[in-house]
Each structure stands twice: as structure tokens, then as C-alpha cells.
Amino acid sequence: MFKTMKECTDFIFTLKAVDHKRAPLVLMREVLALLNNPQDRLRAIHLAGSNGKGSTVNALREMLQHAGYKVGAFTSPHLKRVNERMTINGIQISDAQFLHYMNRVFEIIETHYEGEFPSFFEVVTLIMYQYFADEEVDIALIETGLGGRLDATNVITPLISIITTISLEHTAFLGDTLAKVAFEKAGIIKENVPIIVGVKSEEALTVIREVAKERHAPCLVLGKDFTVENIEQGTTIQRFNYRKANAEMVGVPLKMAGPHQMNNASLAITAILTLRENGVIDISDESIHQALAKAQWAGRFEQLPGDIILDGAHNSEGTNALIQTLKTVYPQQNYRFIYAALADKDHAKSIALMDSIATSIAFTQIELPNAMPADQLAALSTNVNKEYNADWREMVQTILHQRNKEDVIVITGSLYFIAEIRQWLQGEQ
């Protein structure tokens, strides 16, 4: 049994999915049954996708909270503490609650499975389901961790499912084509449960539509069943018109910057309107407008003093969205990138995209066993002003001291890197 969060987190951070080979989801369902199936007491929205899950969850949470609902949100990764992964109305689970639910899981694993623990993500998912059920949240917003079909969260029948985007990622686990990745993400689609889709690739969409048809799930696709139109970009707020069948919203304000955030917001609006049409929630258009005007998400085009941008663009799709947003918000500035990432991504595409607009690009690495070495990242770049240093603090300090007033410093890559940088910058400031 664990008495302190340090003792607990030191243990759970060692847990890896590869350590024990079990049939997927079997242990999750068995342990949840021993916990009296807390997941069955939740009304949930389930989200999968390569990018945009966190921003879509954030938009949903703001709208539901504004309308007076008690909202649980399960997101990943965390930026500082594991408690961030499960919040109710934006407030993190307390250490005491986390330890309480973890010790219940610990007792079950020790008693029934001879101490053979599941992975870190499975453990925190088990904690989350107990916490949200006991706290009787009105709606639980639940992000998948990896994929969807075999993801630890995929033991619920939600009110609605959302697939944000599809790109090639975690190919060793999800497959090496968009169709294969889409099949894994489409695993969250349930019988007769509406699915809302922001995916643009026809290859991926074909797979998602087939799965939805097989499961009799109404399928609403961005650009076909609902649209984002008449985009206006301001310095602090962007606005767009939203249209879906008989519903229309004009001048929807959005604090989160970038065209991709309007797509994420439109997925969230479609989910809200669908639930409203089905009589599940009561929410006004005015609540939707007011909530989106203040919704923001740490580490996603987060603008810090001194023209510093933090953005966890951890794959080429995210990098492309970041570049579009930079060109919109800072059209005249020089872009000086600092990049660090994990080894399981397609870095060549992301780096080529940054090279195309970067005044300079600096590569570094974070202190994780699966971090991509800075020199290997630099070898993929063709930028004439590239450099690398394995010490990220030294590298960031160097770039910050070199900058001039025309420069925007764009710190990007792994969200784990963004988390480290964010904490360090706040301390420096």
C-alpha cells in the first residue's frame, strides 16, 4: 500500500505495457468487475485521434461547465503532475483520492494477479473510472491513450464518440498506413452510438464510415455534415460561422489560435448539439459562444511573454497546423525553432516542414530513455542555420539570448519536452 504520492508515482511510472503479455482489455474488464464496474455508471464522450483530442476535450469541458454541468475530463500526457490527467470542473484529483483509488487497484492486483501489474496507462484509467463514478460527474470526457480498439479506456458505451484526426503515428502498434491507423481509432465506435469525425483523408474516412455502418452508428463528418465558414482572424480571438443541417451559429468566438482549432471546436459543438437534440443536455447557443471565447489549452500554441510559443506538435500533422497558425498570427516575424522529440515519430516530415519557414532551427533532447538524440534530429534538417545540443536548458538559454525583436521563438515537439520547458520558463520568469 502507498502512503505518499512520490512513493506511488515512482512505482507506477515504472509500469510498461510490454512487461506482461495479456489479451487486450481482459484484465481491464476483470479488475473493473471487481471494482463493481464504475465505468457503467458514467455518461461519457469518448475521443480518439492523432491530434486535437486535448483541445476538443477542453472546448467540450468549457461549454458543459458554462451550462452548469459537473464535468470529468481524462487527458494525457500530464505537464507537471499525474493528477492533471483527471480533473472535475478543471480541478485535479487530490493526492489523497489518487492514493485511495490506487491502493484499491493495488490490493486487487496483489490478491488476484500475484502482483503482475498492468501498464501505467491502464492503472491511471482504473483510478479515473472509480473517481468519476464516485464523484457522480454529469458527463465524463475520456481521451484514449493510444489508438482506440485496444485502448484501456475502450470499456465504455459512451453517449457519443469523436475521432479528431488521423495521421501516421505509433506505427509499430497501430499500423503503417492511414487505413490501418483509422481501423484502430474506429475501434471506439459502438453500436447505435453517434460518431463525429474530423478526419480529412479519404483513405482513413472510408474505413471509419465502413465501421460506423457495420455498427449502425450515425456518422457526422466535418466538411460534409457540418462546416466551418467565414473565418476571421483577430490578434487574440478568431471567429467563424458554424453550420449543421438546420443549425447555424454566426461569429463563434474562439480564443485558441489556428485553423485546426476551429475544426476541433466544430467537433465539440457538433457533439454538444447532438446531445442537445437527443435531450441529454440543456445548453444555450449563448453558453457555447461565451465558453469558447475563453477556452485555452496549455502547450497548444501557448503564447508566453517575449514572443515565445509553446506547441506540442508531436507529428507532421501537428507541425503543419503549427506553421499555418504562425503564418496567420505572426505573418511578418522570423521563426526560430527549438525542437525535441521521442524516437517513435516520423521526424523527417516535421523537420522538412519547419525547415521550409525557419530562420534557424535548434535541436535538443529530453531526459527520457526513448528520446531521439539531438544530433540524429539535426542530421534530418537541411536548414543552413541549424545547430544541436543535448542539454536543452543550455540550448534554450542560448537561443533566448541571441534573439532580436523580429524573432518568434517556437518551442515544439514532444509534449513531455513542452512540459519541462514550460515549468523551467515559469521559474526563470
Side-chain angles (χ1 to χ4, degrees), residues 230-240 252-258 262 301 303 325 328-331:
N230 298 349
I231 296 163
E232 293 177 22
Q233 178 66 57
T235 51
T236 56
I237 290 278
Q238 53 184 348
R239 295 180 186 276
F240 64 95
V252 179
L254 186 63
K255 185 165 186 177
M256 291 186 285
M262 284 182 267
F301 207 82
Q303 301 175 61
T325 309
T328 304
V329 180
Y330 298 99

Side-chain angles (χ1 to χ4, degrees), residues 233 257-261 301 311 320-331 335:
Q233 178 66 57
H260 61 297
Q261 295 293 11
F301 207 82
D311 193 284
N320 193 46
L322 166 60
I323 287 169
Q324 284 184 48
T325 309
L326 282 169
K327 287 178 174 177
T328 304
V329 180
Y330 298 99
Y335 308 127

Side-chain angles (χ1 to χ4, degrees), residues 166-214:
I166 298 288
S167 61
L168 287 178
E169 58 160 3
H170 304 294
T171 50
F173 300 99
L174 303 182
D176 55 3
T177 67
L178 290 174
K180 288 177 181 174
V181 176
F183 176 74
E184 293 301 325
K185 307 283 187 189
I188 70 165
I189 299 173
K190 302 296 192 302
E191 191 74 22
N192 296 315
V193 174
I195 175 74
I196 295 164
V197 185
V199 175
K200 293 181 178 174
S201 156
E202 277 304 321
E203 180 187 347
L205 266 176
T206 299
V207 173
I208 292 167
R209 284 190 172 113
E210 283 173 2
V211 175
K213 187 178 177 183
E214 285 168 12

